[in-house]
């Protein structure tokens, strides 16, 4: 039989409880997925009905609302928008995502919006910007910091002999 626990309380099978504030279930989440000092940060609100079950593995049920956060992708800082959310209904590796993050490129005066919606392989990624530019220019902007590639402005790789 599975066990159900409040993720905020310590127990024999939950030795590292999630730390939340007494002001309403706020939880800080920090991680460095590549180990290179690029810390990602989220301040979240764990919903009242968030449940962790232990049986033949871990199962999560409930919703996590983002209050604010910052992630770094391709060396660019993105602010995760308030009320982005992650919903769990089973495996912690298969959450339903509804997340929007923004990146402001001051040089080009463009704000990029990245929205991820869906679960696992079915999740979709949507790019948009203000002012509006084509997706190809958004990708160039994120990769290079510039809106367009200039002829002769980049390096090329020549095959060896």
């Amino acid at each position: 039989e599975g066990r159900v626990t409040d993720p905020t309380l310590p127990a024999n099978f939950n030795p590292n409880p999630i730390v939340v504030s007494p002001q309403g279930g706020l939880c800080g989440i920090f991680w460095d997925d590549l180990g290179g000092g690029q810390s990602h940060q989220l301040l979240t609100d764990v919903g009242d009905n968030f449940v962790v079950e232990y049986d033949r593995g871990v199962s999560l049920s409930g919703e996590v609302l983002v209050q604010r956060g910052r992630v770094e992708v391709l060396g660019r800082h993105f602010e995760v928008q308030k009320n982005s959310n992650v919903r769990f209904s089973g495996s912690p590796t298969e959450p339903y995502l509804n997340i929007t993050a923004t990146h402001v490129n001051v040089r080009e005066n463009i704000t990029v919006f990245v929205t991820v919606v869906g679960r696992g392989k079915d999740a979709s990624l949507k790019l948009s910007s203000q002012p509006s530019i084509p997706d190809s220019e958004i990708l160039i902007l994120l990769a290079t910091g510039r809106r367009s590639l200039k002829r002769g402005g980049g390096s090329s790789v020549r095959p060896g002999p």
Side-chain angles (χ1 to χ4, degrees):
E1 177 133 351
R3 295 182 220 164
V4 178
T5 185
D6 179 340
T8 65
L9 300 175
N12 289 340
F13 46 85
N14 186 31
N16 299 309
I18 299 171
V19 179
V20 295
S21 76
Q23 291 85 18
L26 296 180
C27 173
I29 301 172
F30 306 90
W31 75 98
D32 179 359
D33 53 352
L34 300 177
Q38 295 182 2
S39 175
H40 306 293
Q41 307 164 12
L42 292 176
L43 179 63
T44 63
D45 186 356
V46 178
D48 293 337
N49 297 319
F50 194 84
V51 176
V52 178
E53 296 180 23
Y54 297 86
D55 190 6
R56 292 180 196 108
V58 176
S59 177
L60 303 179
S61 176
E63 181 176 37
V64 176
L65 293 175
V66 174
Q67 298 301 311
R68 67 177 175 264
R70 184 169 74 184
V71 296
E72 189 168 320
V73 180
L74 296 173
R76 308 285 178 230
H77 294 286
F78 285 83
E79 296 295 323
V80 179
Q81 298 301 291
K82 183 175 182 170
N83 293 328
S84 290
N85 64 70
V86 180
R87 291 191 308 260
F88 295 92
S89 60
S91 171
T93 62
E94 291 284 326
Y96 180 86
L97 306 172
N98 185 3
I99 299 173
T100 300
T102 60
H103 166 70
V104 177
N105 183 299
V106 176
R107 174 188 298 163
E108 299 289 343
N109 196 28
I110 295 174
T111 300
V112 173
F113 301 90
V114 178
T115 302
V116 179
V117 176
R119 180 185 314 272
K121 294 178 184 177
D122 295 328
S124 64
L125 182 122
K126 179 184 174 197
L127 299 172
S128 60
S129 65
Q130 186 62 38
S132 182
I133 60 174
D135 285 0
S136 59
E137 287 186 36
I138 292 173
L139 293 171
I140 291 170
L141 182 73
L142 293 175
T144 68
R146 298 184 184 276
R147 186 171 172 175
S148 62
L149 297 175
K150 298 193 188 308
R151 184 170 275 213
S155 61
S156 62
V157 177
R158 294 194 175 113

